[in-house]
Amino acid sequence: MTNKKRLAVDMDEVIADSIARFQEWYGRDFQLELSRESLRGRPAADAVAPEHQAALREYPNAEGFFRDLPIIADSQEVLFELSKKYELFIATAAMEFPNSFVDKYNWLQQHFPFIHWRNFVFCGDKSILNADFLIDDNAYNFDGFHGEGLLFDAPHNAHETRYRRVHSWREVGEILL
Amino acid sequence: MTNKKRLAVDMDEVIADSIARFQEWYGRDFQLELSRESLRGRPAADAVAPEHQAALREYPNAEGFFRDLPIIADSQEVLFELSKKYELFIATAAMEFPNSFVDKYNWLQQHFPFIHWRNFVFCGDKSILNADFLIDDNAYNFDGFHGEGLLFDAPHNAHETRYRRVHSWREVGEILL
């Protein structure tokens, strides 16, 4: 037991750059570019031509989608500092994509070795989390969450105004450290 | 959102009979019987001859250990009734055994189809759960849990006296329904 406050952190678009994988696979399959600007205010599948949408919706279910994702800038350094001050949990809605479990687990072990696997949570509904803060790019994950939500800036959530927005890990560090 | 109380339920030795798998594999590998009586007050690996203990400790990491586990008596019927009265989550410390993720997910989908995957939680430290009740066979999972723990009777926890013990799903139903 500890008196530290507890911080829960999402993975995709918060510490893992899954947009990069959408861009990579969209280019591979359709020889087209998916710009971050085109993703403003909508999920990736809604940003492409109607005849490509079904393919994009399936990408996260495909083998390897979550493997070797790039790391969001400064997340390692800032989370390492935060791990000294907070009880740090990684909480990802992995249940939506059962093929992602092992890739997500391995990715965390590789890139965030200072976070013990005891503090990984693969869930669906994040209202199950008992934490003081949740950093997440999806505002719906703050529904029913009893702590304070910090909305991590991402193209798809550009129009969300209900929660405090953080634009980078440097900014998270300034707020929470 | 709902006003229902929230009930979190462990998997192994609570709804899934993993002792049966230890017995099956121990018989397969050593042609010996592992009685439930021999498991009283200790983990399975401590109940066998010293030269067999390393093998038993590795069983839960092996491919298929959690596949097709028998179902603990009455858990389906009672949880189905409980799912009408409570917000029901399944919370398993799967992070200890990353090879178990997909088997556990598939087992739940097959045998407890009335529980949505949004309500599955694969975690390590169960103090992360925001729930009113936790039914679990490991007393250490109640450490730091803010709700009420109900200890599901299992051979290994025979000597645990700190928590209210429930001996069967029928008894859980009598308490919570």
Side-chain angles (χ1 to χ4, degrees), chain A residues 67-114:
Chain A
R67 198 173 300 151
D68 305 323
L69 288 180
I71 301 159
I72 298 284
D74 303 321
S75 59
Q76 289 166 305
E77 297 80 354
V78 175
L79 278 175
F80 181 70
E81 294 305 316
L82 286 166
S83 73
K84 302 173 188 171
K85 185 172 171 190
Y86 294 84
E87 252 197 301
L88 179 58
F89 284 74
I90 301 294
T92 175
M95 289 300 150
E96 193 175 352
F97 308 113
N99 286 332
S100 74
F101 295 157
V102 171
D103 286 341
K104 281 175 173 274
Y105 180 92
N106 289 338
W107 190 91
L108 288 169
Q109 294 250 305
Q110 179 180 356
H111 298 296
F112 293 84
F114 52 91

Side-chain angles (χ1 to χ4, degrees), chain B residues 128-158:
Chain B
I128 193 64
L129 299 172
N130 172 32
D132 299 291
F133 299 96
L134 171 60
I135 303 177
D136 208 295
D137 64 315
N138 283 309
Y140 60 74
N141 284 324
F142 303 138
D143 290 348
F145 175 67
H146 293 308
E148 181 181 347
L150 293 174
L151 185 72
F152 201 87
D153 189 58
H156 70 84
N157 68 30

Side-chain angles (χ1 to χ4, degrees), chain B residues 2-175:
Chain B
T2 165
N3 290 320
K4 288 177 177 173
K5 294 235 180 193
R6 186 175 277 183
L7 170 62
V9 176
D10 178 40
M11 287 183 76
D12 298 312
E13 295 316 300
V14 175
I15 61 173
D17 186 357
S18 50
I19 288 180
R21 179 60 35 82
F22 275 111
Q23 293 173 315
E24 175 194 344
W25 285 13
Y26 190 59
R28 176 196 69 186
D29 294 345
F30 302 104
Q31 294 75 52
L32 287 169
E33 192 190 336
L34 187 66
S35 72
R36 292 183 71 89
E37 187 53 37
S38 72
L39 299 172
R40 274 180 68 85
R42 54 189 178 183
D46 292 354
V48 299
E51 63 271 26
H52 300 158
Q53 292 184 356
L56 255 73
R57 281 203 188 86
E58 277 308 303
Y59 281 174
N61 293 312
E63 169 82 14
F65 181 86
F66 294 95
R67 198 173 301 152
D68 304 325
L69 288 180
I71 301 159
I72 299 285
D74 304 321
S75 59
Q76 290 165 305
E77 298 80 354
V78 175
L79 279 175
F80 182 71
E81 294 304 317
L82 286 166
S83 73
K84 300 173 189 171
K85 186 172 170 189
Y86 294 85
E87 251 197 301
L88 179 59
F89 284 74
I90 301 295
T92 176
M95 289 301 150
E96 193 175 353
F97 308 113
N99 286 332
S100 74
F101 295 157
V102 171
D103 285 342
K104 281 176 173 275
Y105 180 92
N106 289 338
W107 189 92
L108 288 169
Q109 294 251 307
Q110 180 180 355
H111 298 298
F112 293 84
F114 52 92
I115 306 176
H116 196 281
W117 55 255
R118 280 198 189 85
N119 290 30
F120 299 168
V121 185
F122 292 178
C123 60
D125 176 350
K126 292 194 184 179
S127 74
I128 193 64
L129 299 172
N130 172 32
D132 299 291
F133 299 96
L134 171 60
I135 303 177
D136 208 295
D137 64 315
N138 283 309
Y140 60 74
N141 284 324
F142 303 138
D143 290 348
F145 175 67
H146 293 308
E148 181 181 347
L150 293 174
L151 185 72
F152 201 87
D153 189 58
H156 70 84
N157 68 30
H159 307 315
E160 176 60 54
T161 56
R162 292 173 295 163
Y163 300 97
R164 180 170 184 178
R165 181 178 297 267
V166 289
H167 299 80
S168 69
W169 276 100
R170 291 286 155 216
E171 187 180 348
V172 172
E174 285 161 18
I175 294 169

